[in-house]
Amino acid sequence: MIYWVLKKIFLGPVLKVLFRPWTKGLDNLPVDGPAVLASNHLSFSDSIFMPLMVPRPVVFLAKSDYFTGKGIKGRLTAAFFKLTNQLPMDRSGGAASANSLQTGIDVLNEGGLLGIYPEGTRSPDGRLYRGKVGVAKLVLTANVPVIPVAMIGTDKVQPIGRRIPTIRRLGVIFGEPMDFSRYQGMADDRFVQRSVTDEIMYELMRLSGQEYVDSYASTIKDKIAAEKSAKPAVASEAVRIDPSTTLAPGAVTVIGAKKDGAKDDTMQDAPQGDETAPN
C-alpha cells in the first residue's frame, strides 16, 4: 500500500516532473507473471527510477548494508528501502547468500517481478563489469525469463559519493525477454551459470553502450581503495661522507691510534727544566 502511495501520489509524480525520465521498450515487460529485471548499476538512483517507470511493482534485492545502518540516517535509509519493496541481499557468500537468493526465488514463484544487479555493486567508473552468477541461479531455478534493463545517465544524476542528485534527464531501456529454458534442470552447473550470466551481460553492454571489463567491479573497488589508503614512502635524507675519514674495506682499526695529520694532546713532550720535578 505504502509502495503505491509513494509511487503514484507523492514521490513518483515529483520525480517525473523534475527529471523527465524517458523509456524505451516498455512493451517488452510482461503484463503478468514472473520475470527477472537484470540491470546495469551506475548509481544509487537506479533503484528509484527503474521501478518508477515499470507499471507493475518491482521487488529489488539490495545489499544488506542498507538495512543495518546505525543512527538516524541509517534508520531512515533502512525504512526507505523497506517501503520501496526492497529486500536485503547478503553478498558474503555461503549459506547467507543462498538464503538471500531463495528470498528472490520466492518472489518469482509468487508471480512477481524481481530486480537485480548482476554486477553486484555500482560501477566505480561508468563501465560495465563482469556479472556474478547469482542472477543465473535465480533464473535457472525459477525457470523465468530475463528482461535486460539499461540505465542511462543515472551516474551523471547521482555519482558515487554524492548525496543530493543533480536534476537532469535520464533514461531506461528495457530489452527483449531472454529465454533460458533450454538449460532447465542445470541450475547447479557452474559452466551453465557462467554462460547464462555472460549472455545477460553482453545484452546489457549492447543496450547501454558501456565499455565492458572482464573483471568484478568489487575487485576494482578494493584495488582503488587500497591505492588511496597507501602512504607514499618517505625518502631518507642523504648522508655526505668524508672520504679522508673513511676506512678502506678490510682495514684494521687500532684503538688509541692517532689519525694522520691529527695532533695527539695526550702524547705531548714533558717540559724541560721543570723545577717541581724530582731530582
Side-chain angles (χ1 to χ4, degrees):
M1 179 64 181
I2 297 180
Y3 175 85
W4 280 112
V5 170
L6 289 174
K7 183 174 180 177
K8 298 294 185 180
I9 300 177
F10 292 109
L11 191 60
V14 173
L15 292 176
K16 287 183 178 181
V17 170
L18 291 176
F19 295 92
R20 298 176 297 122
W22 57 267
T23 60
K24 181 180 179 181
L26 272 175
D27 54 340
N28 289 322
L29 292 170
V31 177
D32 53 28
V36 168
L37 305 182
S39 173
N40 61 335
H41 199 10
L42 297 171
S43 167
F44 177 86
S45 298
D46 296 333
S47 299
I48 298 175
F49 287 103
M50 193 262 269
L52 177 65
M53 307 313 296
V54 178
R56 296 172 55 189
V58 180
V59 178
F60 254 100
L61 289 181
K63 67 177 182 179
S64 57
D65 295 356
Y66 290 137
F67 299 84
T68 58
K70 297 181 180 180
I72 296 177
K73 179 184 175 182
R75 289 194 292 270
L76 289 175
T77 301
F80 173 79
F81 274 80
K82 292 175 182 177
L83 293 175
T84 53
N85 270 16
Q86 302 195 49
L87 302 174
M89 172 68 184
D90 193 311
R91 300 180 298 181
S92 61
S97 294
N99 290 335
S100 297
L101 289 177
Q102 184 57 51
T103 301
I105 293 172
D106 293 340
V107 172
L108 295 170
N109 287 339
E110 294 173 0
L113 294 179
L114 181 71
I116 190 171
Y117 301 114
E119 293 170 277
T121 186
R122 285 172 289 179
S123 171
D125 53 17
R127 296 184 293 177
L128 185 70
Y129 284 84
R130 193 180 198 210
K132 296 191 175 183
V133 298
V135 62
K137 291 180 181 179
L138 279 170
V139 173
L140 297 175
T141 301
N143 192 25
V144 297
V146 176
I147 309 297
V149 183
M151 304 301 299
I152 309 295
T154 52
D155 54 332
K156 304 297 190 300
V157 169
Q158 191 176 15
I160 293 178
R162 185 181 181 89
R163 294 183 180 180
I164 301 176
T166 300
I167 298 178
R168 57 182 296 166
R169 206 168 188 202
L170 55 92
V172 188
I173 301 176
F174 300 94
E176 296 182 0
M178 305 177 70
D179 180 17
F180 296 103
S181 58
R182 63 187 182 277
Y183 296 120
Q184 190 172 3
M186 305 174 69
D188 295 327
D189 189 311
R190 292 287 296 180
F191 292 101
V192 172
Q193 292 172 4
R194 175 45 57 191
S195 177
V196 169
T197 303
D198 288 346
E199 193 171 335
I200 294 171
M201 300 312 294
Y202 178 83
E203 192 63 15
L204 289 178
M205 178 188 69
R206 190 185 69 81
L207 291 173
S208 67
Q210 291 172 273
E211 177 187 348
Y212 180 76
V213 181
D214 194 24
S215 299
Y216 292 119
S218 56
T219 302
I220 301 301
K221 282 187 174 183
D222 291 342
K223 182 179 179 181
I224 294 173
E227 290 174 351
K228 287 183 177 180
S229 62
K231 296 181 179 179
V234 179
S236 57
E237 296 183 0
V239 178
R240 187 179 298 277
I241 300 175
D242 184 356
S244 65
T245 62
T246 304
L247 296 176
V252 177
T253 301
V254 178
I255 299 175
K258 70 176 179 178
K259 300 177 183 178
D260 293 340
K263 184 177 181 180
D264 191 347
D265 293 335
T266 62
M267 300 293 291
Q268 292 185 27
D269 293 335
Q272 299 295 325
D274 187 351
E275 296 180 355
T276 60
N279 293 328

